[in-house]
Structure formats: structure tokens, C-alpha cells
Amino acid sequence: MVTRGFTGRQSGSELSDRIPPGQHLVDSFPVLTAGPTPRIEPADWTFTLKIGTRPVKAWSWSEFNALPRTRMTRDIHCVTSWSKLNTAWEGVAIDDILADAGLSAPTPFALAHCYDGYSTNVPLADLATGKAMVALNYEGQPLPRDHGGPARLLVPHLYFWKSAKWVNGLQFTERDEAGFWELRGYHIYGDPWREQRYKND
């Protein structure tokens, strides 16, 4: 686990309704990874949708960037207890990715897959209807490599390990299949407001 950039606890009771239980506010954007940070050049990047093991559609970097763009400003919450408010993102909504592939609701669940071998599971209901995107920009700039550039999944209403870095595809599954951290004791869903950090929370 690589961890950099943590700041101390901050006060501000007026913000308490935006900070889930057990969390503290930070101004910086801490960097956490499960392993070495990969280097993926945009020219080599692809994004693939699968239903089970069957590929449905793949996009190159230029093809993906031609899809409709969406902006989101959201609070984010890490399972390691920090929260950061008003983070600004731009990317392609999962709804628009599915629409471009001619899909609506392929299966109830999905696994996000990444260039470093990481994976995480998310129900389709938490990806669709404007809730999630593949983020390409952060705060008006291309997404930094340490934060998952050139592209990461963004599911801001769940703990941030669900917002998988260096994402390269979504695999739709009939059952809720555990990903990297879920197999290692993290909660299968990860709702910060219910403190679903670990398996039995």
C-alpha cells in the first residue's frame, strides 16, 4: 500500500452532514495504490465492455474521447477515513458508454478491470442513471497517472476503492463477484454512510 499526502483532522461542524461516520476532512488528495503505478500511454489505452466472457464493444482512446462528455462535482470518501469535498471531474458517463454499445441493462452486476490487474465489483444500479463515469479529467486537467490516468472509474457515492484506477473495461456478470479488495476482507458493497468498510460491517 502506497500512501502519500495525508493531512490532519479538520474542524467544521457546518460540514458534518457531508462527512460520513468515521471520516475526517482533507484538503489534499491522498494517493493510495495496491501496487506499483502503471504507465499507460493514451495511444495504447483501450476500454472493453464484456457480458460474461464475451466482448461486446471496445474503444480506442480517440474513439472513447469522441463519446459525450459529462461533468460531476462530488464529495469522495476513502475507506482509510479521509473525505475530500467538491472534487470536479469530467469523463464519459456509464449510461453513455452503454448507449454507444447498444446496451441498456445487460446484467445486474459488473466487475471493473484495470491495467494493473486490479478489479472491483459494483452493482449496475450504482453505475447507471448518472451515478458513475469513466473519468478522464480532474479539476480541469487530464487525470494524473498517480490518480488513475489516463482513465479511472468514478463511483463517488461508494468508498473510493470502488473508483478503480487505470480502468480498461467493465465485465457484466449475473452475480455479485468479489474483486481485489473484496476478496481480501473489504465489504462487498462499500457504503460510506453505513461504514461498510469490512466484510462483516
Side-chain angles (χ1 to χ4, degrees), residues 91-157:
V92 181
I94 302 301
D95 302 297
D96 290 325
I97 298 171
L98 292 175
D100 195 65
L103 300 173
S104 55
T107 66
F109 303 102
L111 274 168
H113 293 283
C114 306
Y115 275 98
D116 62 341
Y118 182 85
S119 63
T120 192
N121 61 303
V122 187
L124 178 59
D126 292 278
L127 296 174
T129 62
K131 292 179 181 176
M133 68 162 58
V134 172
L136 308 174
N137 289 356
Y138 173 70
E139 298 291 346
Q141 300 295 322
L143 189 61
R145 192 161 63 96
D146 282 352
H147 287 299
R152 77 178 297 159
L153 187 63
L154 178 69
V155 191
H157 62 284

Side-chain angles (χ1 to χ4, degrees), residues 109-111 120-122 171 173-179 182 188:
F109 303 102
L111 274 168
T120 192
N121 61 303
V122 187
Q171 178 186 12
T173 58
E174 291 292 344
R175 61 186 183 86
D176 203 4
E177 299 182 22
E182 296 83 11
I188 197 71

Side-chain angles (χ1 to χ4, degrees), residues 42-176:
D44 300 323
W45 183 89
T46 60
F47 186 85
T48 303
L49 286 187
K50 294 182 178 181
I51 298 178
T53 59
R54 177 175 64 89
V56 175
K57 185 162 184 175
W59 295 261
S60 68
W61 180 253
S62 60
E63 290 167 339
F64 197 83
N65 275 266
L67 296 176
R69 290 293 191 100
T70 296
R71 293 180 179 177
M72 284 185 186
T73 299
R74 298 286 189 275
D75 302 342
I76 56 176
H77 311 288
C78 182
V79 71
T80 60
S81 83
W82 60 263
S83 292
K84 184 172 177 62
L85 305 184
N86 302 316
T87 62
W89 306 85
E90 182 179 340
V92 181
I94 302 301
D95 302 297
D96 290 325
I97 298 171
L98 292 175
D100 195 65
L103 300 173
S104 55
T107 66
F109 303 102
L111 274 168
H113 293 283
C114 306
Y115 275 98
D116 62 341
Y118 182 85
S119 63
T120 192
N121 61 303
V122 187
L124 178 59
D126 292 278
L127 296 174
T129 62
K131 292 179 181 176
M133 68 162 58
V134 172
L136 308 174
N137 289 356
Y138 173 70
E139 298 291 346
Q141 300 295 322
L143 189 61
R145 192 161 63 96
D146 282 352
H147 287 299
R152 77 178 297 159
L153 187 63
L154 178 69
V155 191
H157 62 284
L158 299 180
Y159 277 126
F160 213 49
W161 90 78
K162 297 289 186 177
S163 294
K165 295 180 179 182
W166 312 296
V167 70
N168 65 6
L170 286 175
Q171 178 186 12
F172 291 97
T173 58
E174 291 292 344
R175 61 186 183 86
D176 203 4

